[in-house]
């Protein structure tokens, strides 16, 4: 009988085992291989990967493409042989020199590195050799780290080291998803335990519900950057505490709050223990929001500040990115569970329990509301953003109740559209082709986005030949994978022979690969079976489909979608043309995004926050066919792909599926399939290739992660670091003054009133006329320098009572009678039509990043 992990560890606890680490013994000439293997720069430089493939291909595959493990598995005889191979050594020297040059070369960012931005994420997907990710959030975090390295940003990553990572997916004979949780062997992976000068592990501790948890820290080198991962699986902890870092998104709500305490609070303490100053923090999703409380606690203890003083000192240095477009997707904890872990924290922060809970509530003193991590992050961060333009709109609407009275377009949640790391996701074949025509800057100056305009230098023949090579490799890879699937499940010999001939390297290939959740509608194409089967069985212009993706272990409807796909293919005898590839990971993703012809995306709008897989496909010349949601809503134009519908939203989901499935069939039948098979005498689909080039040119520039990080840097990182340096320069006097101002404002706000508005407006004004508006305002104990008075003006809608496309013009105090002031502004009548105006008051203080503080807006 197989032993479970817990039973095995229980047995080992009673054994007296001496432990030590064995490292591969490399000849001197091969020593650079170990340094390369332990830096994930390798993951976006295929020439470095080739060094390990050339060592021993069979070992490389047995090692599951892990360079560190492969080095330990290659025989000493083979190492000795390669150490004398002049061609191999020349290639190693060339690659190693390029690696060293990369680490010390010029970068986009050239400022101070003394203080850093600490980037917190629950998962990181950087390479198949480090399986601590589940899907899109982790892949984005990995690309974020790689891009930060390319640009030389003063940024470090913080995450958790999961003993089992996310699950490995496999399907049973009936097509139902099963999960396994293999253990990660950290000593054969690109992570290194952080130790002090005496060689002992650097550790931190934190309290959880009255128990102390010991934590050790591992480092992952990502080019120039570092990612630090926290680990509780050490002897000092009891088994249940060791299991805090057992698996990603595993366990119950209590395990989740433990992981999020570890990530946020433990992450800050880990950086301090390493001598790193997190001058600014970036919370990638709400999981790490407890870091805001730890930073406040630190400052209160160090400077003897009040909670409000510490909060205002840190608010301008916190950045929060939300990735969730539906309310149910935001992490919430019951108050009973929160009290178990944070009752002492309220006392430490000098807050009543109700005031503490208000930090995580939309309705601050609603005793029936749970504690929301997104709300906590939004209240503690001056900078907040969604991950696409449409998602920014959705997020502003979702969280508008945190800023009552503020117009929707002013809710302080902006957007930075996600991007992908080109050198990671553009295939090796395509990268070689692009490098030949784009020049060295494609590799050496990745922020030079205009270089994608050189795509027209590549001939149609070369681009198509490279793309066809990738489709051939995708077909070969898929056949190998499904052959393994069939053999494992004991499939009949007929099915195994079928797998050996599955798919065609010459057929239009549609790919759908993403998490199998019901809102993503992975089976939308099955809605009209006869229509789909006609497309698949067409001998002259056939299509084939490849699916991949995991359902969450507890998502039974998502698992049922996968089984439905397989049953459909079997029932209609098209299992060699409709394929599901198990265990969607970075390896599978790279084959699909570079070898398909069309990338399908069919979510229910607006439930896709951004999505990035289609960006990866686009940079490889794979054309998108997608619902107008996420990133595609802003990237689409008719020259780069196809849109299913025009961004409509439906209340009746059955009607939506009917309309949009028919729209998808129409696109395939009338546009996509004819265009792909429209060939000239030279056999080239030149109109298709034209779209490929347009797609690569536009998406390569607009959806590059380097564009994304330049946006983050300019909008958030550099201002937050500047705020930090300004705040500490005067020993936090500015922050203390801001806290005192907000205290005064809170007490005075109810006494402020706008009691009279006058203007020279006539029933009909002429364009160019000067409009003068006066307002009488009672400021109570405040003075004009302490408030921002604005004329809010624009077109008045016939359908609503509000002002649309509003503009704001600051009004100035021009007279005083006691506590009453006369404010005035003059504006030109520029716009025609039905116009209107009103007056409002907002906070005003030089230390405010923006004036939109909850509860502080007063309208006439």
């Amino acid at each position: 009988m197989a032993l479970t992990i817990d039973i095995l560890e229980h047995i080992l606890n009673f054994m007296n085992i001496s432990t030590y680490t064995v490292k591969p013994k490399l000849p001197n000439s091969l020593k650079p291989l170990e340094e390369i293997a332990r830096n994930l720069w390798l993951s976006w430089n295929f020439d470095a990967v080739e060094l390990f493939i050339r060592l021993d291909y069979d070992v490389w595959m047995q090692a599951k493409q892990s360079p560190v493990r492969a080095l330990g598995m290659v025989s000493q005889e083979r190492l000795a042989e390669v150490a004398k191979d002049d061609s191999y050594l020349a290639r190693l020297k060339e690659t190693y020199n390029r690696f060293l040059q990369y680490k010390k070369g010029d970068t986009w960012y050239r400022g101070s590195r003394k203080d850093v931005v600490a980037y917190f994420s629950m998962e990181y997907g950087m390479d198949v050799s480090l399986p601590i990710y589940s899907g899109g959030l982790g892949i984005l975090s990995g690309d974020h780290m790689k891009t930060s390295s390319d640009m030389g940003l003063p940024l470090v990553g913080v995450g958790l080291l999961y003993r089992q990572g996310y699950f490995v997916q496999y399907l049973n004979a009936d097509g139902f998803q099963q999960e396994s949780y293999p253990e990660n062997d950290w000593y054969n992976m690109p992570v290194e335990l952080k130790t002090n000068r005496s060689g002992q592990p650097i550790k931190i501790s934190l309290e959880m519900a009255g128990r102390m948890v010991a934590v050790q820290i591992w480092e992952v080198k990502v080019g120039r950057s570092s990612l630090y991962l926290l680990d509780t699986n050490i002897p000092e902890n009891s088994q249940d505490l060791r299991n805090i870092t057992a698996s990603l998104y595993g366990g119950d709500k209590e395990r989740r709050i433990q992981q999020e305490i570890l990530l946020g609070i433990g992450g800050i303490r880990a950086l301090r223990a390493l001598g790193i100053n997190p001058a600014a923090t970036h919370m990638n999703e709400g999981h790490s929001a407890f870091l805001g409380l730890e930073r406040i606690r630190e400052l209160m203890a160090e400077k003897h500040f009040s909670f409000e003083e510490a909060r205002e000192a840190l608010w301008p240095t916190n950045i929060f990115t939300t990735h969730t477009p539906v309310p149910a997707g935001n992490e919430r904890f019951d108050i009973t569970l929160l009290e178990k872990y944070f009752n002492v924290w309220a006392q430490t922060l000098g807050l009543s329990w109700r005031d503490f809970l208000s930090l995580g509530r939309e309705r601050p003193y609603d005793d029936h509301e749970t504690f929301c991590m997104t709300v906590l992050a939004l209240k503690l961060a001056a900078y907040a953003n969604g991950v696409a333009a449409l998602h920014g709109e959705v997020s502003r609407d979702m969280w508008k109740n945190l800023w009552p009275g503020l117009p929707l377009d002013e809710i302080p949640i902006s957007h930075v559209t996600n991007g992908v790391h080109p050198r990671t996701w553009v295939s090796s074949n395509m990268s070689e082709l692009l490098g030949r025509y784009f020049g060295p800057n494609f590799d050496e100056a990745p922020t030079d986005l205009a270089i994608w305009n050189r795509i027209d230098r590549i001939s149609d023949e070369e681009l198509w030949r490279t793309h066809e090579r990738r489709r051939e490799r995708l077909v070969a890879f898929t056949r190998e994978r499904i052959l393994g699937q069939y053999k494992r499940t004991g499939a009949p010999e007929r099915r195994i022979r079928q797998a050996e001939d599955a798919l065609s390297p010459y057929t239009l290939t549609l790919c759908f690969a993403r998490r199998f959740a019901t809102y993503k509608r992975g089976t939308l194409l099955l809605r009209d079976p006869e229509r789909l089967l006609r497309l698949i069985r067409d001998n002259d212009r056939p299509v084939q489909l490849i699916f991949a993706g995991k359902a969450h272990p507890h998502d039974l409807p998502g698992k049922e979608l996968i089984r439905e796909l397989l049953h459909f293919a079997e029932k209609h005898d098209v299992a060699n043309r409709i394929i599901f590839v198990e265990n969607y990971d970075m390896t599978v993703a790279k084959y699909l995004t570079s070898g398909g012809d069309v990338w399908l995306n069919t979510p229910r709008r607006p439930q896709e926050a951004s999505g990035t897989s289609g960006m990866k496909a686009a940079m490889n010349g794979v054309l998108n066919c997608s619902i107008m949601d996420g990133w595609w809503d802003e990237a689409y134009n008719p020259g780069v792909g196809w849109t299913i519908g025009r961004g409509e939203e439906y209340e009746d989901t059955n009607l939506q599926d009917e309309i949009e499935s028919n729209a998808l069939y129409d696109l395939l039948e009338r546009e996509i399939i004819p265009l792909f098979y429209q060939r000239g005498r030279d056999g080239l689909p030149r109109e298709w290739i034209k779209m490929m080039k347009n797609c690569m040119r536009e998406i390569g520039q607009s959806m590059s992660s380097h564009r994304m990080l330049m946006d983050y840097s300019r909008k958030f990182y550099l201002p937050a670091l500047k705020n930090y340096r300004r705040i500490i320069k005067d020993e936090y006097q500015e922050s203390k003054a801001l806290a005192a101002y907000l205290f005064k404002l809170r007490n005075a706000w109810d006494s402020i009133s706008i009691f009279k508005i006058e203007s020279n407006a006539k029933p009909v004004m002429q364009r160019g006329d000067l409009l003068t508006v006066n307002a009488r305002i009672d400021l109570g104990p405040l003075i004009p320098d302490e408030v921002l008075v604005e004329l809010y003006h624009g077109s008045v809608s016939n359908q609503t009572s509000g002002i649309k496309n509003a503009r704001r013009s600051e009004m100035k105090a021009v007279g005083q009678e006691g506590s009453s002031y006369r404010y005035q502004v003059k504006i030109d009548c520029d716009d025609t039509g039905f116009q209107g105006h009103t007056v409002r008051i907002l906070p005003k203080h030089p230390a405010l990043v923006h004036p939109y503080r909850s509860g502080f807006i007063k309208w006439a």
Side-chain angles (χ1 to χ4, degrees):
M1 183 180 72
L3 293 174
T4 68
I5 295 301
D6 287 346
I7 293 174
L8 183 60
E9 290 184 346
H10 179 72
I11 293 172
L12 291 176
N13 285 338
F14 290 94
M15 298 181 182
N16 184 15
I17 298 178
S18 300
T19 61
Y20 46 88
T21 303
V22 178
K23 293 189 175 183
K25 185 179 180 181
L26 296 176
N28 287 335
S29 59
L30 300 182
K31 285 288 175 66
L33 281 174
E34 186 161 13
E35 187 179 350
I36 293 172
R38 292 189 173 276
N39 192 310
L40 289 180
W41 173 84
L42 168 144
S43 68
W44 70 92
N45 287 274
F46 189 70
D47 55 343
V49 174
E50 284 183 315
L51 292 172
F52 295 89
I53 295 174
R54 284 182 63 181
L55 270 182
D56 191 317
Y57 178 76
D58 292 336
V59 164
W60 174 251
M61 298 308 294
Q62 291 170 25
K64 298 181 179 178
Q65 302 174 53
S66 170
V68 177
R69 184 181 291 116
L71 278 183
M73 293 172 63
V74 175
S75 68
Q76 291 300 138
E77 291 78 13
R78 175 58 180 160
L79 290 173
E81 178 184 349
V82 173
K84 299 174 183 176
D85 183 337
D86 58 348
S87 68
Y88 184 91
L89 294 177
R91 187 65 168 169
L92 173 58
K93 181 179 180 181
E94 178 186 344
T95 303
Y96 186 58
N97 285 340
R98 198 162 66 81
F99 171 59
L100 295 178
Q101 184 178 357
Y102 171 86
K103 290 204 295 182
K104 67 182 181 183
D106 292 336
T107 60
W108 179 84
Y109 176 80
R110 299 183 183 183
S112 168
R113 301 177 191 281
K114 177 184 175 183
D115 305 306
V116 304
V117 176
Y119 177 81
F120 287 72
S121 185
M122 200 73 165
E123 53 175 301
Y124 290 86
M126 290 181 289
D127 189 59
V128 70
S129 67
L130 190 62
I132 56 169
Y133 63 95
S134 71
L137 181 69
I139 299 298
L140 176 74
S141 301
D143 282 3
H144 201 105
M145 291 300 303
K146 294 173 185 178
T147 310
S148 172
S149 169
D150 288 344
M151 294 171 59
L153 295 177
L155 181 145
V156 298
V158 180
L160 303 183
L161 189 76
Y162 302 103
R163 198 171 78 230
Q164 297 170 337
Y166 203 48
F167 68 89
V168 171
Q169 177 199 53
Y170 64 97
L171 306 182
N172 65 18
D174 188 42
F176 195 75
Q177 174 182 294
Q178 307 288 302
E179 299 90 23
S180 66
Y181 295 86
E183 294 280 305
N184 287 320
D185 176 9
W186 301 123
Y187 294 93
N188 279 307
M189 291 185 173
V191 297
E192 183 178 345
L193 188 63
K194 296 302 292 179
T195 58
N196 57 27
R197 291 180 179 177
S198 60
Q200 297 302 307
I202 296 173
K203 294 179 182 177
I204 62 160
S205 63
L206 63 161
E207 185 261 350
M208 290 191 191
R211 304 169 69 192
M212 295 307 297
V213 183
V215 185
Q216 63 185 8
I217 308 161
W218 300 73
E219 180 182 13
V220 180
K221 290 183 170 63
V222 188
R224 302 178 177 94
S225 301
S226 290
L227 165 64
Y228 298 103
L229 302 174
L230 280 58
D231 175 20
T232 65
N233 185 30
I234 52 180
E236 292 95 316
N237 295 324
S238 60
Q239 190 57 55
D240 63 319
L241 297 181
R242 294 179 71 165
N243 285 340
I244 291 174
T245 52
S247 62
L248 172 61
Y249 303 140
D252 56 13
K253 274 290 186 180
E254 185 153 14
R255 178 67 75 226
R256 286 295 286 267
I257 199 171
Q258 289 173 338
Q259 289 185 337
E260 296 182 13
I261 290 169
L262 177 61
L263 177 63
I265 298 172
I268 293 293
R269 295 184 187 180
L271 294 177
R272 298 291 186 205
L274 295 169
I276 297 170
N277 178 32
T281 62
H282 183 178
M283 297 169 273
N284 190 42
E285 217 14 310
H287 306 121
S288 60
F290 290 137
L291 70 82
L293 301 181
E294 171 64 7
R295 297 186 76 200
I296 290 171
R297 183 202 64 79
E298 282 185 332
L299 203 54
M300 289 176 68
E302 179 186 348
K303 301 292 184 182
H304 306 292
F305 282 0
S306 68
F307 174 83
E308 292 298 337
E309 288 171 338
R311 178 182 181 174
E312 296 309 328
L314 296 168
W315 179 71
T317 67
N318 286 332
I319 302 145
F320 169 60
T321 298
T322 175
H323 293 261
T324 311
V326 291
N330 294 274
E331 187 82 85
R332 290 181 179 272
F333 294 114
D334 288 337
I335 301 308
T336 303
L337 182 61
L338 198 78
E339 187 172 17
K340 178 178 178 180
Y341 285 88
F342 281 95
N343 191 36
V344 173
W345 270 83
Q347 300 170 29
T348 301
L349 298 176
L351 299 175
S352 70
W353 182 237
R354 291 195 80 205
D355 284 343
F356 181 88
L357 292 178
S358 72
L359 296 171
R361 285 173 163 168
E362 291 183 74
R363 300 173 301 280
Y365 298 103
D366 180 353
D367 291 336
H368 299 289
E369 186 179 346
T370 54
F371 190 93
C372 179
M373 297 296 283
T374 303
V375 172
L376 177 64
L378 286 168
K379 288 187 176 182
L380 296 183
Y383 304 99
N385 69 283
V387 290
L390 177 60
H391 182 236
E393 295 176 18
V394 170
S395 298
R396 287 188 288 276
D397 186 56
M398 188 186 305
W399 301 112
K400 61 190 175 188
N401 291 336
L402 292 176
W403 294 273
L406 193 63
L408 198 60
D409 63 343
E410 292 183 88
I411 299 295
I413 302 175
S414 62
H415 81 274
V416 173
T417 302
N418 284 344
V420 299
H421 189 250
R423 292 291 297 181
T424 295
W425 295 105
V426 175
S427 73
S428 56
N429 303 101
M430 189 64 75
S431 287
E432 182 182 350
L433 178 65
L434 298 181
R436 203 157 61 238
Y437 287 92
F438 286 9
N441 274 3
F442 181 57
D443 187 37
E444 297 170 8
T447 55
D448 179 11
L449 302 177
I451 204 163
W452 286 91
N453 290 325
R454 298 181 180 182
I455 191 71
D456 288 323
R457 295 181 179 183
I458 302 173
S459 69
D460 289 357
E461 292 82 358
E462 282 186 284
L463 184 61
W464 188 246
R465 188 162 59 245
T466 300
H467 179 65
E468 288 197 305
R469 189 177 303 125
R470 292 308 305 180
R471 193 189 313 114
E472 290 166 3
R473 295 191 66 178
L474 170 60
V475 168
F477 170 80
T478 305
R479 287 174 178 172
E480 183 181 351
R481 289 293 290 262
I482 62 171
L483 190 60
Q485 293 173 202
Y486 291 163
K487 287 181 177 179
R488 194 200 66 249
T489 56
E493 189 63 31
R494 175 187 64 84
R495 175 65 66 82
I496 292 175
R497 287 197 303 271
Q498 194 178 49
E500 293 171 345
D501 195 36
L503 305 176
S504 165
Y506 311 108
T507 294
L508 173 63
T509 303
L510 281 57
C511 294
F512 179 101
R514 50 193 29 87
R515 181 164 58 90
F516 263 74
T518 52
Y519 81 87
K520 292 179 182 282
R521 298 188 294 177
T523 56
L524 189 65
L525 261 178
L526 308 187
R527 192 169 177 89
D528 188 337
E530 291 186 8
R531 207 167 171 185
L532 175 60
L533 291 170
R534 280 200 304 271
L535 299 179
I536 292 173
R537 292 169 174 165
D538 188 322
N539 291 325
D540 296 324
R541 302 189 306 182
V543 299
Q544 57 195 13
L545 290 87
I546 304 176
F547 292 87
K550 298 177 179 180
H552 188 277
H554 303 308
D555 183 4
L556 294 180
K559 291 183 177 184
E560 191 57 41
L561 292 178
I562 297 173
R563 184 164 66 172
E564 183 183 347
L565 278 171
L566 274 77
H567 281 214
F568 178 92
E570 179 67 23
K571 175 184 177 181
H572 297 286
D573 196 27
V574 288
N576 62 338
R577 289 294 176 263
I578 298 180
I579 304 294
F580 185 90
V581 180
E582 287 179 339
N583 201 38
Y584 183 42
D585 63 6
M586 291 184 73
T587 297
V588 176
K590 287 181 179 181
Y591 277 99
L592 292 175
T593 55
S594 64
D597 296 299
V598 175
W599 196 259
L600 288 177
N601 185 37
T602 54
R604 295 193 193 282
R605 176 186 165 109
Q607 296 186 42
E608 185 90 316
S610 171
T612 57
S613 59
M615 302 175 189
K616 299 159 192 165
M619 290 185 190
N620 281 287
V622 178
L623 304 179
N624 278 262
C625 179
S626 174
I627 297 291
M628 292 284 279
D629 200 6
W631 74 280
W632 192 240
D633 185 68
E634 62 196 87
Y636 167 74
N637 71 63
V640 301
W642 297 273
T643 173
I644 304 166
R646 291 292 182 269
E648 300 87 356
E649 296 177 23
Y650 301 81
E651 292 185 8
D652 185 335
T653 58
N654 189 57
L655 175 64
Q656 179 181 17
D657 291 349
E658 183 68 21
I659 292 172
E660 292 180 343
S661 63
N662 281 324
L664 177 53
Y665 293 130
D666 288 344
L667 280 172
L668 288 168
E669 292 167 349
R670 300 174 186 176
E671 297 185 39
I672 296 174
I673 295 173
L675 189 68
F676 181 83
Y677 287 106
Q678 178 185 319
R679 309 293 173 101
R681 283 186 292 181
D682 55 8
L684 296 177
R686 292 195 179 271
E687 289 303 310
W688 187 278
I689 297 169
K690 180 181 178 181
M691 286 187 72
M692 287 175 65
K693 288 184 175 181
N694 288 340
C695 177
M696 295 172 76
R697 178 190 302 106
E698 295 189 24
I699 306 304
Q701 295 181 72
S702 64
M703 298 300 156
S704 163
S705 57
H706 298 90
R707 184 275 310 152
M708 176 182 76
L709 261 291
M710 285 191 282
D711 285 351
Y712 271 113
S713 296
R714 290 164 177 154
K715 294 175 75 170
F716 306 140
Y717 291 169
L718 300 182
L721 289 173
K722 183 179 180 181
N723 292 340
Y724 170 79
R725 292 172 187 136
R726 187 187 69 250
I727 289 167
I728 65 169
K729 188 176 181 180
D730 67 354
E731 284 296 313
Y732 297 94
Q733 291 305 309
E734 179 184 275
S735 304
K736 294 180 76 172
L738 176 59
Y741 163 74
L742 291 173
F743 179 79
K744 178 181 179 182
L745 199 65
R746 219 169 349 258
N747 292 326
W749 197 250
D750 288 342
S751 65
I752 296 175
S753 62
I754 305 168
F755 59 87
K756 190 174 185 181
I757 301 176
E758 297 175 322
S759 75
N760 65 338
K762 295 175 290 189
V764 178
M765 303 282 285
Q766 301 294 317
R767 174 181 274 173
D769 285 353
L770 191 66
L771 177 68
T772 301
V773 180
N774 290 280
R776 301 292 301 187
I777 298 175
D778 188 344
L779 293 181
L782 301 179
I783 61 174
D785 286 346
E786 294 177 318
V787 293
L788 174 64
V789 178
E790 292 183 329
L791 183 71
Y792 188 82
H793 56 102
S795 301
V796 178
S797 171
N798 292 324
Q799 298 179 350
T800 66
S801 59
I803 294 175
K804 61 179 183 178
N805 301 321
R807 288 184 287 178
R808 297 169 292 279
S809 301
E810 184 173 357
M811 303 182 75
K812 297 295 186 181
V814 294
Q816 179 183 4
E817 293 179 12
S819 63
S820 172
Y821 293 84
R822 183 167 67 89
Y823 278 79
Q824 185 182 89
V825 69
K826 296 181 180 182
I827 60 171
D828 291 323
C829 295
D830 293 329
D831 298 328
T832 59
F834 197 39
Q835 303 291 305
H837 62 259
T838 188
V839 174
R840 68 181 188 179
I841 305 173
L842 293 163
K844 184 179 182 181
H845 191 279
L848 283 173
V849 172
H850 58 71
Y852 308 125
R853 300 300 291 260
S854 182
F856 290 128
I857 184 169
K858 184 149 297 197
W859 294 89

